[in-house]
Amino acid sequence: MDPAKQYEIVGVIQNAKYNNVRGRFPPTAYVPITAMPSTLAGISVQARTVGDPLTVLPAVRRVIHEIEPGLALANVRTESDQVNEALWQERLLARLVTAFGALALALASIGVYGTMSYAVTRRTKDIGVRMAIGAPAGHVLREELARAIRLGAIGIAIGLPCALLASRLVSSQLFGIKPWDPLTMLIAIAVLAVVTAVAGFLPARRAAAVDPLIALRAE
C-alpha cells in the first residue's frame, strides 16, 4: 500500500493468523486486486466450502477461468493441510511425549505392585496374627489398599512440583495450551491415582485372603 494515498475503509474483520499459526496477529490490510502493484508475482484465493473442499475444486477452476482465461491456478491446498504442515513438529513431539508418558505410567504401576507385594510378604505373619484374633478380611483389604493410595499420593505430591518446573522447558513447543493447564494436570493426577489403586488392589486382596494358620507358621 502506498502511504501517500488515501484509502476508504469498507469493513473490519477479526484477527487472523497469516504466515505462522504460532505467531502473533500481524497488522494486515486487504485491498482490491486492482490496487495491487503490477509487479506482483501472484495472489492467493481462498474459498469457504461445506463438506470436502476438494469436491468443489472443479467449480472454482471454472469460475476463475471465466473471470480470467489466462490465469493459472496452482498449489491448491486446503487450510487443514496447511495447518497440519505447520504443526508437524509439535505433533511429533506430542506422540513421543505420549509414548514416554505411557512407558513411565507402566513402570510406575509395576513399581507400586512390586512394592506392595513385597510389603505384604513381609507383613504376612502380622496380618495372620490380626486375622487370627478377629480382624475382618475386608478391614485388611481396605487397610492395604489405603497404604497403596498413600504411596501414590506421596509420589504425586513430589512429582507435581517437578512437573510444573519441567513444563517450562517445553512451553515453546506447545500450541493452544499452557504448560500448567489445570485440566491437564487434574486428568494426569486422576489417571495416576486410578493406576496406583488398581496396582495395589491385587496385593491387598492377597493380603486379605491370607490363611491365619499358614501366616502364623511363616518365618
Side-chain angles (χ1 to χ4, degrees), residues 104-120 123 141 144-153 190-207:
L105 185 61
L107 293 176
S109 302
I110 294 172
V112 172
Y113 176 79
T115 302
M116 290 299 300
S117 297
Y118 177 71
V120 169
R123 293 196 306 274
L141 175 62
E144 297 300 323
L145 188 57
R147 195 183 301 273
I149 294 175
R150 285 196 300 270
L151 182 65
V191 170
L192 287 173
V194 171
V195 169
T196 300
V198 172
F201 176 75
L202 292 178
R205 186 176 62 176
R206 190 171 70 235

Side-chain angles (χ1 to χ4, degrees), residues 2 30 44 47 76 93 100 109 115 122 152 166 187 190 193 195 198 211 216-217:
D2 187 355
Y30 299 93
S44 298
V76 179
L93 178 63
F100 284 117
S109 302
T115 302
R122 291 192 59 185
I187 292 176
V195 169
V198 172
D211 187 341
L216 291 174
R217 297 193 190 103

Side-chain angles (χ1 to χ4, degrees), residues 29-81:
Y30 299 93
V31 299
I33 190 173
T34 54
M36 300 296 288
S38 58
T39 57
L40 187 65
I43 60 174
S44 298
V45 178
Q46 296 183 351
R48 175 175 293 181
T49 63
V50 177
D52 187 2
L54 297 180
T55 59
V56 301
L57 182 58
V60 174
R61 290 183 182 274
R62 184 172 60 253
V63 171
I64 293 178
H65 182 73
E66 292 175 356
I67 297 174
E68 180 56 58
L71 185 62
L73 184 61
N75 194 22
V76 179
R77 295 186 300 170
T78 64
E79 186 173 325
S80 299
D81 292 338

Side-chain angles (χ1 to χ4, degrees), residues 115-133:
T115 302
M116 290 299 300
S117 297
Y118 177 71
V120 169
T121 301
R122 291 192 59 185
R123 293 196 306 274
T124 299
K125 187 173 182 179
D126 296 336
I127 293 173
V129 171
R130 290 165 51 200
M131 295 184 67
I133 61 177

